[in-house]
Amino acid sequence: MIHIFDGAMGTMLQQAGMPSGYCPEAYNLENPTAITAIHQAYLAAGSTIIETNTFGANRLKLSHYNLQNDVEKINKTAAYLARQAVGTQAKVAGSVGPTGKLIAPLGDLDFEEAYQAFVEQIRALDEGGVDYILIETIIDIQEMRAALLAAKAASTKPVICQLTFGPDGRTVTGTTPAAAANLLEAMGASVIGANCSLGPQQLIPIIQELADNTTLPISAQPNAGMPELHNGETVFPLNPDAMATYVPALIAAGATYLGGCCGTTPKHISTMKTAALACPEPKRQRKSADISLILTSRSKVVRLSPKLPPALIGERINPTGRKLLQQDIKTGSYIAVKKEALLQVRAGADILDINMGVPGINQAAVMKEAVEQLSMLVDVPFSIDTTDAKALEAGLRAYPGRALINSVTAEPERIRDFLPLAKKYGAAILCLPLSPSGVPKTAAERLNIIKQVIHAAYACGLKEKDLLLDALILTAAAEPTAGQEALNTIRLYREHYRTSITGGLSNISYGLPERDLVNSAFCAMALSAGLNAPIINPYNVRMAETIAASSVLLGHDIGGQNYSKNYTQSLPKNDTMSTADQPILLQIKNAVINGEVEGVTSLVREALEQKNTPLTITDEALTAAMNDVGDAFGAGRCFLPQVLLSAETMRAAFQTMKKLMPNQTQLSLGTVILATVKGDIHDLGKNIVAALLENNGFTIIDLGKDVPAEKIVDATKKFKANIVGLCALMTTTMPQIAVTIDALRKAQLPVKIIIGGAVVTPEYAQEVGADNYAGDGVAAVRYAKTVSIQGEWS
């Protein structure tokens, strides 16, 4: 069955007389007749789901209009108006848009503040009587997680989760449709989809990728094409008939919930519905037979299956028996932890086990901090390794992906405390055969215990594809049958279950000489018995060689292609890690690339002591590093979190130089005025640009959002700015960019102008006379560095 949403609300409100810059959600209270009329127009056009006029009705957005205390009233009234307009002829979806801020550590919004804002809004919508909760136009998966958790806490209604993707097929913060689909299904979403930013043609492959990675229904609400400027007015190029031509392809890709976003009207919805009714009943190929265990990070999916090559779980972030790592965690520096993370990933780890088990510390706070920092640094999924339920929830809540819980045993407190957390946060679980009776010695005993764990997991709502079974590998030096029983356990698991199997391989050799030899030999045996997710030290070359060779012999590396590729050349070196034997400027450069915020200060101090000038450090280390990071971002090898972390490290280096050599440090690369133009209250992209420019050495004057042209002109004169950056999110406010540029040109100010924003295009930039278009923050930094700051204002 095809469900038809409505289309755009903002342009319809403007056509109904709402002034530019006015709060759309306030119209629910002040002009309910207009809202009802729009709902009824979409109902008449064929919509079967009407969205409430509450896209920005959370307290963070409403505070811009001093309406933060009216959240409940606005949302309940909007739900009432929608219901009154459609009666029983259509369903009502409570629209929940983004907060407009990035959640920490990407931005400065605390996760709990975002969560509470969503709870407040969604509770009001729920009490107002909506049929669905529709979370839409979200660009960061962490904000979507906060909203979905809030929806599950405040309502029992079905939740539709729609992210906004860019032309590269990722969200702004790097999440792919595959990563989003796997995570959101595990967290309990009812429908997953995409809306805004792109037209229907660009959304088709995104819808297809979503459908390929979930069994849930898929929704698609594209714009009416990409915006264009015609005679000074913003228009969307697809008329209703043209829009409808893409409906069969969207349905064939998997969408069964269709609607429109920016630029769409009741006529668009009418033609889309007509086209949908002419399509054959959509049939999705169900993925229920696939029992692969799938873990995700913010930007990556890792699939574990006995049919695939082994997935390696890096064990090195564990302070047990490691005094230096314990000290690093106790002091909160995390330098050693970060290096372990980077080195393990570069050595081939597919998943990182994170253990913060240091006695005498607040493990929950430390786990949260470690997960936040490491998730900015590396792109592989995490295994949260703890026996502390509070630390586990802190880690799961902070993690922007689908994590693995290490571990759940048959002990009553683990069953009671850990399994509900796995269900709540959509995590997978490592099932460990331990019980209150102790450590089982035989494979048969382990199988019986693992059955208890699995039974409890199923009772909690988890499924087969949420499980990873641990064979419990003990020490051969202390237990002569340890190796054989572990192998027997793996074989028994494989006889009874289709799930992936893991084990801490290095346990087998504890207390023996030449441990690498024992470990690698046992690894080959375990892989042959059926283990496919070894927990290992990824640095161990012999182990890596054994796994590579075993993959060929067990048929996972068809034709030995990967083996041949890796071993016809030397293994890749970790040449971008900063180590003490490198020249100091190279150490600083690598520290910036790797986001070593805590470590760069001492390196800069050392460089200055070696008589390097601030200019040399800036040019040969800091700028060179950010150029490399920018290249990696442009090539899709890293994403916004890593760029921001590198920029933060660069700022720490700048601040150190300013502090130590204030008289010799002229480090500002120029002054930049930034503003979201008049009538537009969206400043998320502008804030990202501000952070990157500031951390790259520019002086930033941020005028905020909804800024009139005359204020921007005055500030440019006052601060003698070298660059003005303007942005707009909405098509209705985009013309204000042209107004502002015209005012700056008439004032004859020696300033370069950059423009950007979701609806802005290079063609628009050229047409309105901007000097440059910046599609993202990195592009803005690149251009800003080309602008001369010498003598223009003298």
Side-chain angles (χ1 to χ4, degrees):
M1 179 178 179
I2 302 296
H3 306 267
I4 303 295
F5 284 108
D6 54 16
M9 171 63 79
T11 48
M12 297 287 285
L13 286 173
Q14 288 198 331
Q15 290 174 15
M18 186 184 76
S20 177
Y22 203 79
C23 175
E25 291 75 19
Y27 244 46
N28 292 309
L29 308 179
E30 298 168 6
N31 196 345
T33 303
I35 302 297
T36 301
I38 294 170
H39 290 327
Q40 290 175 336
Y42 278 118
L43 179 68
S47 294
T48 57
I49 302 176
I50 297 294
E51 298 178 30
T52 56
N53 178 36
T54 52
F55 178 78
N58 63 71
R59 66 169 44 246
L60 298 171
K61 280 285 190 68
L62 290 177
S63 65
H64 180 75
Y65 305 100
N66 198 29
L67 295 173
Q68 64 273 18
N69 295 325
D70 293 333
V71 171
E72 180 178 354
K73 183 165 60 175
I74 288 173
N75 282 280
K76 284 187 174 179
T77 300
Y80 171 80
L81 293 176
R83 178 63 66 201
Q84 288 300 305
V86 304
T88 59
Q89 298 179 68
K91 299 290 186 182
V92 174
S95 172
V96 179
T99 62
K101 297 175 177 289
L102 281 175
I103 291 177
L106 282 179
D108 58 3
L109 178 63
D110 184 76
F111 184 92
E112 301 308 325
E113 185 179 359
Y115 171 80
Q116 291 301 334
F118 285 129
V119 166
E120 181 183 29
Q121 182 187 5
I122 292 169
R123 180 173 291 129
L125 288 168
D126 181 74
E127 292 174 357
V130 301
D131 300 300
Y132 298 95
I133 303 300
L134 171 60
I135 306 167
E136 58 179 336
T137 327
I138 304 292
I139 63 168
D140 178 38
I141 195 68
Q142 191 67 333
E143 184 169 31
M144 178 60 84
R145 288 183 71 249
L148 180 52
L149 287 170
K152 305 299 278 188
S155 172
T156 58
K157 305 289 174 56
V159 185
I160 303 169
C161 296
Q162 292 183 166
L163 288 153
T164 293
F165 296 90
D168 62 350
R170 293 177 180 267
T171 67
V172 168
T173 54
T175 300
T176 63
N182 282 291
L183 171 60
L184 297 176
E185 179 174 359
M187 289 183 67
S190 306
V191 179
I192 300 172
N195 76 296
C196 202
S197 187
L198 300 175
Q201 184 176 14
Q202 295 81 17
L203 268 192
I204 291 169
I206 291 170
I207 296 303
Q208 184 68 62
E209 186 174 338
L210 287 170
D212 288 344
N213 284 277
T214 179
T215 59
L216 295 177
I218 303 296
S219 63
Q221 296 200 73
N223 292 342
M226 299 303 290
E228 299 173 356
L229 192 67
H230 292 174
N231 300 320
E233 291 188 5
T234 304
V235 298
F236 285 86
L238 295 184
N239 61 36
D241 290 335
M243 190 86 169
T245 62
Y246 294 99
V247 167
L250 287 168
I251 292 175
T256 50
Y257 286 71
L258 287 170
C261 203
C262 299
T264 58
T265 65
K267 290 184 179 177
H268 286 83
I269 297 304
S270 177
T271 58
M272 291 177 72
K273 179 162 186 176
T274 300
L277 291 175
C279 292
E281 185 72 18
K283 293 181 180 179
R284 290 261 302 279
Q285 185 174 358
R286 307 298 286 180
K287 302 291 183 181
S288 56
D290 183 1
I291 49 82
S292 298
L293 169 61
I294 296 175
L295 303 175
T296 71
S297 65
R298 190 193 297 273
S299 58
K300 190 172 185 178
V301 170
V302 171
R303 186 182 296 269
L304 286 73
S305 168
K307 299 178 181 178
L308 297 174
L312 310 185
I313 303 175
E315 65 180 6
R316 296 285 298 171
I317 304 178
N318 188 328
T320 304
R322 301 174 65 191
K323 291 183 179 179
L324 289 178
L325 195 61
Q326 288 185 16
Q327 189 63 24
D328 183 70
I329 294 170
K330 273 186 176 180
T331 59
S333 79
Y334 300 105
I335 294 175
V337 171
K338 288 181 177 179
K339 286 195 172 183
E340 291 285 8
L342 285 167
L343 286 173
Q344 287 187 93
V345 172
R346 289 171 187 173
D350 299 293
I351 300 158
L352 290 185
D353 192 73
I354 312 294
N355 186 312
M356 294 287 118
V358 178
I361 66 171
N362 182 339
Q363 288 200 26
V366 171
M367 181 64 83
K368 174 179 181 291
E369 180 72 13
V371 167
E372 284 183 348
Q373 294 208 24
L374 294 179
S375 64
M376 294 270 286
L377 191 65
V378 295
D379 64 354
V380 301
F382 293 170
S383 164
I384 310 296
D385 185 356
T386 181
T387 59
D388 184 330
K390 290 182 179 177
L392 175 61
E393 179 154 27
L396 293 173
R397 203 165 178 83
Y399 186 57
R402 171 165 154 84
L404 174 69
I405 293 174
N406 184 4
S407 55
V408 177
T409 68
E411 296 161 299
E413 62 275 15
R414 293 286 186 98
I415 298 290
R416 181 195 64 210
D417 297 337
F418 281 29
L419 288 179
L421 292 177
K423 184 63 179 174
K424 178 178 180 180
Y425 293 99
I429 61 170
L430 186 154
C431 305
L432 187 64
L434 291 177
S435 73
S437 302
V439 178
K441 289 188 177 182
T442 68
E445 292 172 330
R446 293 173 194 178
L447 179 64
N448 286 333
I449 295 173
I450 218 70
K451 286 180 178 177
Q452 297 173 33
V453 177
I454 293 173
H455 178 76
Y458 288 170
C460 194
L462 300 183
K463 300 177 181 175
E464 187 178 19
K465 61 184 180 180
D466 298 320
L467 311 179
L468 177 63
L469 307 186
D470 191 296
L472 188 58
I473 299 170
L474 302 177
T475 301
E479 193 70 48
T481 62
Q484 193 57 53
E485 287 302 331
L487 294 173
N488 289 339
T489 303
I490 294 168
R491 295 187 187 99
L492 265 183
Y493 285 170
R494 187 55 64 228
E495 287 177 20
H496 287 80
Y497 300 106
R498 299 180 296 173
T499 58
S500 291
I501 301 173
T502 188
L505 294 186
S506 59
N507 292 344
I508 196 71
S509 65
Y510 188 77
L512 295 174
E514 294 293 335
R515 293 187 64 187
D516 290 353
L517 175 60
V518 178
N519 290 342
S520 60
F522 185 68
C523 178
M525 296 177 186
L527 292 174
S528 179
L531 183 141
N532 66 299
I535 302 173
I536 63 169
N537 173 0
Y539 311 152
N540 189 311
V541 175
R542 179 176 277 169
M543 188 74 84
E545 293 171 342
T546 299
I547 292 172
S550 296
S551 292
V552 178
L553 300 175
L554 294 172
H556 297 311
D557 183 3
I558 306 299
Q561 293 184 14
N562 290 330
Y563 181 87
S564 300
K565 180 180 176 182
N566 289 333
Y567 289 94
T568 51
Q569 301 174 359
S570 61
L571 290 174
K573 299 178 180 178
N574 297 310
D575 54 0
T576 59
M577 290 302 299
S578 60
T579 58
D581 59 347
Q582 295 171 335
I584 188 63
L585 293 181
L586 181 57
Q587 289 187 58
I588 294 172
K589 178 183 175 183
N590 287 337
V592 172
I593 291 173
N594 295 327
E596 299 172 26
V597 180
E598 301 83 1
V600 78
T601 298
S602 60
L603 294 175
V604 169
R605 188 186 301 274
E606 183 179 342
L608 293 172
E609 290 172 354
Q610 293 181 13
K611 307 303 181 187
N612 289 285
T613 67
L615 184 60
T616 300
I617 296 171
T618 300
D619 287 345
E620 298 184 20
L622 304 182
T623 302
M626 289 309 295
N627 286 340
D628 285 0
V629 172
D631 289 343
F633 179 81
R637 298 194 303 272
C638 74
F639 302 100
L640 186 61
Q642 294 96 325
V643 175
L644 288 172
L645 188 59
S646 291
E648 185 181 345
T649 307
M650 186 168 176
R651 180 172 62 174
F654 273 126
Q655 290 175 338
T656 302
M657 288 191 286
K658 287 180 179 178
K659 181 179 179 181
L660 296 177
M661 305 189 74
N663 297 327
Q664 299 182 36
T665 309
Q666 199 290 88
L667 293 172
S668 178
L669 301 181
T671 298
V672 182
I673 301 283
L674 290 176
T676 303
V677 296
K678 182 180 178 181
D680 201 320
I681 65 165
H682 304 87
D683 62 353
L684 187 55
K686 172 184 67 63
N687 293 341
I688 294 172
V689 173
L692 289 176
L693 284 169
E694 184 174 22
N695 293 342
N696 275 273
F698 291 88
T699 300
I700 302 300
I701 309 297
D702 189 345
L703 301 181
K705 50 197 175 185
D706 191 14
V707 185
E710 55 271 24
K711 184 176 179 180
I712 296 171
V713 172
D714 291 345
T716 305
K717 293 177 181 176
K718 177 181 178 181
F719 295 101
K720 297 182 177 181
N722 307 102
I723 300 168
V724 170
L726 305 173
C727 70
L729 177 76
M730 300 185 298
T731 54
T732 53
T733 56
M734 195 164 73
Q736 282 296 320
I737 290 180
V739 171
T740 306
I741 292 176
D742 186 55
L744 287 165
R745 298 304 187 208
K746 286 181 178 175
Q748 297 184 330
L749 303 179
V751 66
K752 298 294 185 182
I753 302 172
I754 313 175
I755 69 171
V759 295
V760 178
T761 64
E763 293 76 20
Y764 179 79
Q766 185 174 15
E767 185 166 342
V768 298
D771 295 292
N772 188 260
Y773 162 76
D776 52 55
V778 173
V781 172
R782 283 188 188 281
Y783 174 74
K785 287 182 176 178
T786 69
V787 175
S788 171
I789 64 173
Q790 302 300 320
E792 299 286 350
W793 283 91
S794 60

